[in-house]
Amino acid sequence: MNTLLLDSEDVDEYAALGDVIDAVEQAFAAFERGDTQMPAKSYIDLPRYNGDFRSMPAYLDTGDWDAAGLKWVNVHPDNPADHDLPTVLGTMIYSDPETAFPLAIMDGTTLTMKRTGAAAAVATDHLAVEDASSLGIVGAGVQSYTQLRAISEVRSIEEVVIADQDEDRVRRFVETFEDEFDVRAGSISEAGHCDILSTVTPVESPIVGLADVGEDTHINAIGADAAGKHELSDDLLLDATIVIDDHEQCTHSGEINVPYGEGTLTDDDIHAEIGEVVVGAKEGRTDGTGITVFDSTGLAIQDVAAAHVVYDRASDAGKGLSFDLVGAGDAAQ
């Protein structure tokens, strides 16, 4: 038995979004049923390098399959300017739960983008209006591309409005998708008045207010991933039906972390965790729901679920670099 080494191109090819969305939805359901183990994300702070490491381990059992893995990821803001490297570099170790054998080592950066888009798609499927056909995106970075790809798997998106202060980013986004969608640049309010809105910015002062969205808009709040980050105004959050991925993560580092810490939002303002909606324990959208917000911080079970898809599909295709990482061949002799 060998370990598969899968680079970013392999992950991009074999993380088929339809399958990843299904796997992430199953992971949310397993989380709600209590069929997962997911220790809190741990940090190693490296102030001398203006960076940190984060470890994200998880195990999940969907009933049809189980899987385990660890994502080792960093945030080093000086990397692009000082070292010509990305700010974030992720590595995923995907293991067989029965034997602990390392089935694969794969790029975790592309995997993160795929599973984040998939999580937004799961939430969109349960919380957006059924006939949603327009998508607004605030922030034209790399995650915006996966948001569009993933969400268009669950809704028939025709119109796309992209808002960003960086005109070059907007131009590249429009050029990428202009042959597939009616895509154009627009203001935050124009993006927010689409049927679905995804916000993917790192801001710490809200940039989307209640007046900037439609009365039935579903919002995927993706950008907040650390304490102090906050894309949506308090009045918007107070008016919306809020669904979160995990209470501990969202109240400490998700979209709701600032107003929750200040007492502006309380547990009474949180409608459900997404797993509760997936399994039917709490309602998704109903006729009178209005604005909905999905606070997505990103869970380790999502990474493991996405890695499960990548490994299975790459193995079936005979792709990836196969090598004897742990000397299993020698041990068997």
Side-chain angles (χ1 to χ4, degrees):
M1 181 181 290
N2 283 346
T3 301
L4 276 186
L5 183 63
L6 300 163
D7 64 16
S8 59
E9 292 184 2
D10 294 325
V11 173
D12 187 45
E13 180 175 358
Y14 295 108
L17 274 171
D19 291 343
V20 175
I21 291 166
D22 180 62
V24 167
E25 185 167 40
Q26 292 181 65
F28 285 143
F31 186 45
E32 172 59 22
R33 293 193 306 266
D35 293 331
T36 67
Q37 293 184 52
M38 188 173 59
K41 184 188 303 183
S42 63
Y43 290 79
I44 296 175
D45 291 317
L46 302 168
R48 66 182 292 185
Y49 300 118
N50 187 29
D52 63 62
F53 286 114
R54 309 167 188 197
S55 63
M56 299 175 63
Y59 166 80
L60 68 148
D61 182 357
T62 69
D64 294 327
W65 50 270
D66 68 342
L70 166 71
K71 187 169 75 174
W72 179 243
V73 65
N74 74 295
V75 176
H76 281 59
D78 298 334
N79 266 2
D82 294 350
H83 305 289
D84 196 26
L85 288 170
T87 298
V88 177
L89 294 162
T91 301
M92 185 75 191
I93 302 171
Y94 179 69
S95 300
D96 180 353
E98 182 178 3
T99 66
F101 189 85
L103 298 170
I105 299 172
M106 65 183 74
D107 170 59
T109 307
T110 302
L111 192 79
T112 299
M113 289 191 293
K114 296 278 188 167
R115 62 81 150 151
T116 303
V122 172
T124 297
D125 202 25
H126 288 276
L127 298 171
V129 295
E130 283 293 330
D131 60 350
S133 62
S134 59
L135 171 64
I137 304 176
V138 178
V142 292
Q143 184 56 239
S144 62
Y145 293 75
T146 314
Q147 288 292 304
L148 175 51
R149 291 291 186 203
I151 289 169
S152 62
E153 290 279 334
V154 299
R155 289 294 187 273
S156 298
I157 300 300
E158 299 172 2
E159 178 187 2
V160 180
V161 180
I162 182 76
D164 194 299
Q165 293 180 332
D166 188 322
E167 294 182 0
D168 287 338
R169 282 185 169 187
V170 170
R171 176 183 52 76
R172 287 194 295 270
F173 183 92
V174 171
E175 289 176 352
T176 299
F177 293 108
E178 60 187 355
D179 292 337
E180 301 174 65
F181 304 94
D182 177 11
V183 56
R184 63 180 177 86
S187 66
I188 289 175
S189 182
E190 288 174 305
H193 278 83
C194 292
D195 298 320
I196 304 160
L197 172 67
S198 287
T199 58
V200 285
T201 73
V203 299
E204 296 187 359
S205 296
I207 54 174
V208 183
L210 181 58
D212 293 319
V213 302
E215 60 183 17
D216 290 308
T217 298
H218 167 64
I219 305 167
N220 297 302
I222 307 297
D225 61 356
K229 290 188 177 181
H230 190 18
E231 296 181 292
L232 311 180
S233 69
D234 290 354
D235 60 342
L236 170 53
L237 289 169
L238 286 167
D239 191 74
T241 297
I242 299 173
V243 175
I244 62 179
D245 58 11
D246 174 71
H247 187 276
E248 181 176 359
Q249 286 195 186
C250 288
T251 54
H252 286 84
S253 58
E255 178 55 39
I256 65 172
N257 84 90
V258 174
Y260 189 91
E262 294 172 346
T264 303
L265 286 179
T266 69
D267 287 344
D268 291 338
D269 298 303
I270 300 171
H271 172 64
E273 289 188 347
I274 186 63
E276 294 178 286
V277 176
V278 168
V279 302
K282 295 284 184 72
E283 286 187 321
R285 176 168 291 277
T286 64
D287 289 341
T289 298
I291 299 166
T292 53
V293 170
F294 174 51
D295 184 352
S296 174
T297 58
L299 307 182
I301 54 171
Q302 296 168 222
D303 296 304
V304 174
H308 168 76
V309 172
V310 173
Y311 174 74
D312 278 5
R313 290 177 64 91
S315 296
D316 289 346
K319 299 296 184 179
L321 175 63
S322 177
F323 67 109
D324 189 6
L325 175 67
V326 300
D330 293 337
Q333 293 177 2

